[in-house]
Amino acid sequence: MTATTAPPHSGRAARATAEAPALARRQVHAVAGCYFVASFAALGLPPFLTAILPELGDPTARWAGVLYIVPTVFGAVGAPFWGRLADRYGRKRLLLRAQLGLAVSFLLAGWADSITTFTAALVLQGVLGGTFAASNGYLGAALEGPALSKALTLMQGAARAALVFAPIVVGSLSPWLSPHRQYALLAVLPLTAALLICALPESRGRRTEPPKAPDAPTPRPDDVPAQVPARTRVEAQEAAPASGTAPDRAATPVTSLRALYALEFAFVFSTVISFPYLVSLIEERLPGTSPAVSGVLFALPHLCYLVTAMAVHKGFHARPRLGLALGFLCIALGLAGHGAAGSLAALTAVRLVLGAGLTLGLVCLSVLAADCCKGRAPGGMFGSLEFFSKAGAVAAGVVAAVGNDFFGPAAPVLTGTAVALATIVPAALPLVNPLRTRWSR
């Protein structure tokens, strides 16, 4: 009998099939697009609360600061709960629930006739929403490794795009329809997203390698005979699971969930703290600056992310801790520059430096989150991660308000500088330990 010889590329083809993503690229893009349209109202309308509240009986809009963070607070509370339900009952089903919950809350907010009803709508937006965590949980169940981190980077891009373009669209529509009533109009967007999600496949969990037949063990590099052609021997070595296949990633320890949550909190705190009073700081440093210029300066870091995020992912997906440490350094330099900048050129420069830090941080945190997701229920993990992200945003808003009241609009950016500087060492510490181990040998 003649032994049957497998084609030389069968091992590589099997690995390629096993490593193929469970979602096609167009489906990943569809999830990101759904998040973009759903978050349009959630991110575009809150800056106009000072124009909305006088219509509801608050002529001085003194409740604007509190209501600004209401959806964030209740979103943080609900995210872990919805994530665990997604792992139990289906991630697509819970993603649909999040989109429909946003639609209901937007309709209620658009037709509210009192601050009480409007506040209840914002609470519902936080409790019933959570589209970002739901979308990440859906992606995390079907993708892993670089494919997942790239998808998470794309999701952050959708959030940045909504943050940039939504206020512009809302402001442009304001002469014809008040921002208050635009809540009801923009409820069409999450409803549209829900219809698109219905066409997506269910995300049923991460695939595993197909079981190997007992009579066909995986060849080891040492088992390949010397007379086998070099090309075949190399392919057998590639097919074998060797610890040295990724030396750059093997040198970086796996990040614990606690470390990931702490880094997420510190990153969101140090970046968001500069948002609420940036326009006041610009007016203080550059009197007479037009609102359009202030809006461009506000958007610059987010535009920087949209332009460079994928290139940064390509350069740092193998060394996310280094990228994260550099990101915190850029954030610290950029925020510190806000306190000293006295010209439009200087403010533009420091906003771009902050944008570099924002991009490095968001991309590398996505890579770390993808690493932590391996072997874990993605819904619960991303729900908890969203809790710490929103907690960082709430803490940043409170500290910014207190600092601005006592020390002026420069206080929030200096506080963010201190937090970013203090986080550089913890972010880079796992890079130092392997070096110590090597030198000790």
Side-chain angles (χ1 to χ4, degrees):
M1 295 179 63
T2 303
T4 303
T5 304
H9 295 284
S10 60
R12 184 176 298 177
R15 291 202 326 279
T17 302
E19 294 171 1
L23 293 177
R25 179 181 297 182
R26 59 184 177 81
Q27 292 169 330
V28 175
H29 288 178
V31 174
C34 289
Y35 175 68
F36 170 78
V37 299
S39 60
F40 209 82
L43 297 177
L45 285 166
F48 296 88
L49 283 175
T50 52
I52 293 174
L53 293 182
E55 300 180 19
L56 300 173
D58 182 12
T60 61
R62 63 191 181 95
W63 290 103
V66 175
L67 294 181
Y68 192 94
I69 64 172
V70 162
T72 306
V73 171
F74 284 91
V77 172
F81 171 74
W82 293 121
R84 288 191 291 270
L85 285 185
D87 290 327
R88 176 174 296 183
Y89 297 108
R91 290 141 194 129
K92 177 181 174 180
R93 187 177 302 173
L94 270 291
L95 181 53
L96 278 171
R97 177 215 55 78
Q99 300 286 4
L100 295 175
L102 278 184
V104 170
S105 63
F106 290 163
L107 285 172
L108 182 59
W111 295 110
D113 56 1
S114 66
I115 289 184
T116 301
T117 307
F118 187 75
T119 301
L122 295 182
V123 171
L124 284 177
Q125 178 185 326
V127 172
L128 299 180
T131 53
F132 189 70
S135 300
N136 287 349
Y138 177 87
L139 295 171
L143 305 172
E144 61 181 8
L148 176 56
S149 62
K150 191 173 182 179
L152 297 180
T153 300
L154 184 64
M155 287 294 298
Q156 286 288 355
R160 302 302 121 188
L163 194 60
V164 170
F165 295 112
I168 297 174
V169 173
V170 171
S172 301
L173 291 176
S174 295
W176 295 276
L177 185 66
S178 70
H180 177 207
R181 300 306 179 191
Q182 285 188 47
Y183 265 105
L185 174 65
L186 295 180
V188 173
L189 296 179
L191 286 174
T192 304
L195 292 176
L196 293 175
I197 290 170
C198 288
L200 293 175
E202 177 58 80
S203 185
R204 298 190 180 279
R206 207 172 289 106
R207 294 159 295 108
T208 58
E209 293 284 338
K212 298 181 178 62
D215 56 344
T218 301
R220 294 168 48 192
D222 296 339
D223 296 337
V224 181
Q227 66 270 20
V228 176
R231 181 176 177 182
T232 307
R233 187 160 56 247
V234 170
E235 289 172 358
Q237 291 174 358
E238 289 177 351
S243 59
T245 53
D248 52 344
R249 289 308 297 248
T252 303
V254 177
T255 302
S256 68
L257 277 181
R258 289 183 179 180
L260 176 65
Y261 295 156
L263 291 170
E264 178 79 14
F265 180 94
F267 174 80
V268 172
F269 181 93
S270 58
T271 52
V272 171
I273 196 171
S274 67
F275 292 175
Y277 298 99
L278 177 65
V279 174
S280 299
L281 180 64
I282 293 172
E283 292 175 351
E284 180 185 90
R285 299 297 167 82
L286 303 175
T289 302
S290 68
V293 172
S294 298
V296 171
L297 288 173
F298 181 89
L300 271 180
H302 310 292
L303 291 173
C304 182
Y305 181 93
L306 292 176
V307 172
T308 63
M310 287 304 171
V312 171
H313 180 273
K314 184 177 181 181
F316 286 93
H317 78 275
R319 41 190 179 274
R321 283 286 195 161
L322 174 61
L324 188 58
L326 291 175
F328 276 112
L329 178 60
C330 289
I331 291 170
L333 293 175
L335 291 177
H338 282 69
S343 66
L344 180 59
L347 272 173
T348 301
V350 298
R351 294 296 290 170
L352 289 174
V353 173
L354 180 62
L358 183 78
T359 305
L360 282 165
L362 286 172
V363 170
C364 293
L365 282 170
S366 294
V367 176
L368 293 178
D371 286 345
C372 287
C373 189
K374 294 176 181 177
R376 292 188 171 95
M381 196 209 82
F382 283 110
S384 298
L385 186 63
E386 185 72 358
F387 170 84
F388 284 95
S389 176
K390 291 185 180 299
V394 172
V398 173
V399 173
V402 174
N404 180 75
D405 289 343
F406 284 94
F407 304 105
V413 295
L414 295 179
T415 304
T417 301
V419 172
L421 283 174
T423 316
I424 292 175
V425 173
L429 193 59
L431 298 175
V432 178
N433 290 335
L435 293 178
R436 289 178 177 174
T437 303
R438 291 175 187 173
W439 281 107
S440 66
R441 293 175 181 175

